[in-house]
Amino acid sequence: LLCLAVTHQYNHDTTTTEALSGFFKSASSKPTIQKQYIINRRDALITATSTIAGIASTPNSAAAELPKAESIDLAGINAARSKTLTAGIGSATKPGAAGVIPITDPSPLLSIRGGIDGKSSIKMPRVGFSLYKTNPDVAARSTSLALRAGVRHFDVGTLYGSNAYVSIPLKKYLDIGIDGVDFSSEKPDLLEFLDLTKQAGDDRARATVSGGLISKAAPAPSGSAGRRGRREGLFLSHKLSNAEQSVNGADVRRAVKAQIAALGLGTSYLDMVSIHSPLTDKNRRLESYAALLELRDFGFVKSVGVCNYGLGALNEIKQAGLDLPAVNQIELSPFNTHSDVVSWCNNNGVAVGCGAWSKLSGADGPQDQWAVLSQIAKKKGMTKAQVLVRWSLQKGYICVPRSTAASKIERIAIAENSYGGVNPEGGGFVLTKEEMEILDALNIDYKAGKLGRRDGWADDDVVSPDWDPTDFV
């Protein structure tokens, strides 16, 4: 017998409300993932030892077992694993490794630089959920719905002011599992939609890792991973505000440790801490960044990133001889591709993340270009936000879309814009080469000053419509 340790807790998304509901109704009528085995803790440990035989499980979920009759092509599995693990940073710890690798069918996890001295590789979900501009009164509900849809990457920050609320469902999830999160006020059809979205993402995740060879493996029973396993499956990315930047590294370290304590999750680390913006001064930027690296080396932070950094601020880090960031999250879209920054990150092994896109469809957004994107969305039966998620994934980026939970449309959008939501059965949401070229041709360098986005800076910082945080240094 060959036992395979299979683990996946990822993000999921779906189509326009009507198109998605049709897809999920048809999907729910089929026998999808059957409960073949109930694996208790002893069996999970025994199954995990099988990874020595050749296929390592990700540390984020419990083991699952293949039916005995299944034939295994180890060479095929290893080849597929090699492909998916290098899709992104891949060999993040090797000099000269690319930071951005376009891929048509991306796996849910991306390898980024992390660990002591940044010499290890850690897994980051490619699609997360941003709490940017989410009112505290709906932050807990939004987080709960995202968890139910399979999202395991949460993008939080001191400026967002919602960590205390986000932590409520996260702690329940860690303590008990998804069954411990309160969904009593949600309608059954929404919960079914979220569950099917998660299932779609899990199915896609197994297929991308195995080339479809282990698509029949049973998922882990709810709650079976244990608290530690569930925490390892979460990716909490926190942003250090400009006010928390300091020339005194001790102040920065205290600020981060205070956020860890405020979250109250019963764990002593964050998966990533990033400097929210470069809008301070060189000394504060570099001293704050060096303090974050110290926190990483002492285990309080697994990886260190930056946000809204252009070439000037990135080169400051490089010229100072400091470890380069694992991720640079900037405002990326087909309308502002930041090709110079992306090229620098790619050449220096830095992964690239996209911020939330909530302003693009507004009155201040690029109307003509938005109309072209809308045509592609209509043709494929997707929402416009889903096109943006797919575009970013296929470009090799990490993305953290956002949505509140104030209305039904917004609650559905949480699922639609997750990994499962943009990976329905049959791959109908994959953007063709021609569609990607059309989207890439929409670039007009649409600056943050014109767009009206305020994520790490205030109105007073924006001096003109052509202002952008990446040009600050």
Side-chain angles (χ1 to χ4, degrees):
L1 293 177
L2 175 64
C3 295
L4 304 179
V6 182
T7 59
H8 296 292
Q9 296 172 330
Y10 310 136
N11 315 354
H12 325 79
D13 303 10
T14 341
T15 343
T16 54
T17 304
E18 296 180 358
L20 274 175
S21 64
F23 155 63
F24 281 126
K25 286 178 181 177
S26 64
S28 63
S29 66
K30 304 176 183 178
T32 51
I33 305 173
Q34 300 176 349
K35 294 184 178 178
Q36 299 162 341
Y37 299 92
I38 301 299
I39 301 177
N40 57 26
R41 293 183 183 276
R42 182 200 65 186
D43 293 331
L45 289 172
I46 294 172
T47 304
T49 63
S50 68
T51 61
I52 298 173
I55 306 172
S57 64
T58 41
N60 302 343
S61 56
E65 191 174 7
L66 275 176
K68 296 178 182 179
E70 192 79 31
S71 61
I72 308 299
D73 178 1
L74 287 178
I77 291 176
N78 288 331
R81 287 185 70 251
S82 175
K83 175 184 176 182
T84 56
L85 290 178
T86 56
I89 280 197
S91 304
T93 60
K94 295 181 180 179
V100 182
I101 299 179
I103 183 170
T104 301
D105 191 17
S107 63
L109 295 179
L110 180 73
S111 292
I112 63 170
R113 187 183 294 109
I116 297 175
D117 295 328
K119 293 182 178 179
S120 299
S121 145
I122 64 173
K123 298 296 189 295
M124 181 180 191
R126 292 177 187 267
V127 184
F129 182 75
S130 173
L131 275 297
Y132 167 61
K133 290 187 67 179
T134 301
N135 291 331
D137 59 343
V138 295
R141 187 180 185 185
S142 298
T143 303
S144 298
L145 297 177
L147 278 170
R148 185 80 176 235
V151 176
R152 297 296 181 264
H153 168 188
F154 293 90
D155 186 71
V156 299
T158 304
L159 278 180
Y160 298 164
S162 57
N163 282 9
Y165 304 93
V166 170
S167 66
I168 295 172
L170 290 181
K171 188 175 188 302
K172 291 179 179 178
Y173 168 74
L174 290 176
D175 290 342
I176 303 172
I178 196 64
D179 292 338
V181 182
D182 183 13
F183 296 104
S184 59
S185 64
E186 307 298 346
K187 294 184 177 181
D189 59 340
L190 174 62
L191 296 180
E192 181 184 10
F193 182 74
L194 296 170
D195 291 340
L196 290 168
T197 300
K198 180 182 185 303
Q199 180 177 296
D202 289 345
D203 289 346
R204 188 72 248 147
R206 277 186 287 275
T208 57
V209 170
S210 67
L213 291 174
I214 52 177
S215 61
K216 295 182 181 179
S222 178
S224 65
R227 193 181 205 281
R228 180 175 179 179
R230 287 189 288 273
R231 177 60 188 94
E232 289 176 344
L234 279 180
F235 194 98
L236 300 180
S237 178
H238 177 77
K239 293 172 179 166
L240 185 81
S241 70
N242 295 348
E244 291 169 314
Q245 292 187 41
S246 174
V247 294
N248 185 344
D251 290 341
V252 175
R253 293 190 293 272
R254 278 193 290 269
V256 173
K257 291 177 182 179
Q259 290 296 332
I260 294 173
L263 281 168
L265 299 180
T267 56
S268 60
Y269 69 93
L270 289 165
D271 298 278
M272 177 181 287
V273 175
S274 302
I275 293 180
H276 204 151
S277 89
L279 272 67
T280 54
D281 58 70
K282 182 177 180 178
N283 288 338
R284 277 191 286 173
R285 283 191 296 273
L286 290 178
E287 291 296 332
S288 298
Y289 185 80
L292 295 184
L293 292 177
E294 289 181 23
L295 287 170
R296 180 201 66 187
D297 293 344
F298 282 103
F300 292 99
V301 172
K302 285 192 172 184
S303 57
V304 175
V306 294
C307 301
N308 305 296
Y309 269 43
L311 299 183
L314 290 168
N315 280 316
E316 279 182 352
I317 296 174
K318 189 173 185 178
Q319 292 163 5
L322 299 172
D323 291 347
L324 294 179
V327 177
N328 181 21
Q329 184 187 100
I330 56 180
E331 184 182 312
L332 270 176
S333 74
F335 320 126
N336 191 3
T337 57
H338 281 295
S339 58
D340 56 343
V341 179
V342 171
S343 178
W344 190 100
C345 291
N346 180 54
N347 292 335
N348 288 276
V350 177
V352 174
C354 303
W357 299 293
S358 57
K359 285 281 186 179
L360 287 176
S361 60
D364 296 324
Q367 298 300 310
D368 293 342
Q369 290 73 20
W370 191 251
V372 175
L373 187 147
S374 299
Q375 292 173 3
I376 293 176
K378 183 177 181 180
K379 172 186 173 183
K380 301 187 77 70
M382 303 166 69
T383 68
K384 293 181 281 292
Q386 285 177 315
V387 173
L388 289 171
V389 174
R390 281 298 321 187
W391 174 84
S392 64
L393 286 178
Q394 292 181 215
K395 294 291 285 186
Y397 307 148
I398 302 153
C399 61
V400 284
R402 65 167 294 275
S403 181
T404 70
S407 69
K408 181 178 180 180
I409 291 176
E410 291 171 317
R411 292 190 289 273
I412 289 174
I414 292 174
E416 288 176 336
N417 300 332
S418 66
Y419 182 79
V422 296
N423 280 287
E425 186 179 20
F429 284 2
V430 174
L431 297 172
T432 65
K433 179 181 178 181
E434 180 184 7
E435 289 164 343
M436 290 292 289
E437 290 174 349
I438 291 172
L439 292 172
D440 288 341
L442 298 178
N443 179 52
I444 53 173
D445 296 327
Y446 208 80
K447 302 291 187 178
K450 185 178 294 184
L451 188 59
R453 180 168 165 260
R454 304 289 184 266
D455 191 3
W457 55 91
D459 288 341
D460 293 342
D461 296 312
V462 181
V463 297
S464 73
D466 294 328
W467 180 90
D468 198 88
T470 59
D471 299 326
F472 184 77
V473 180

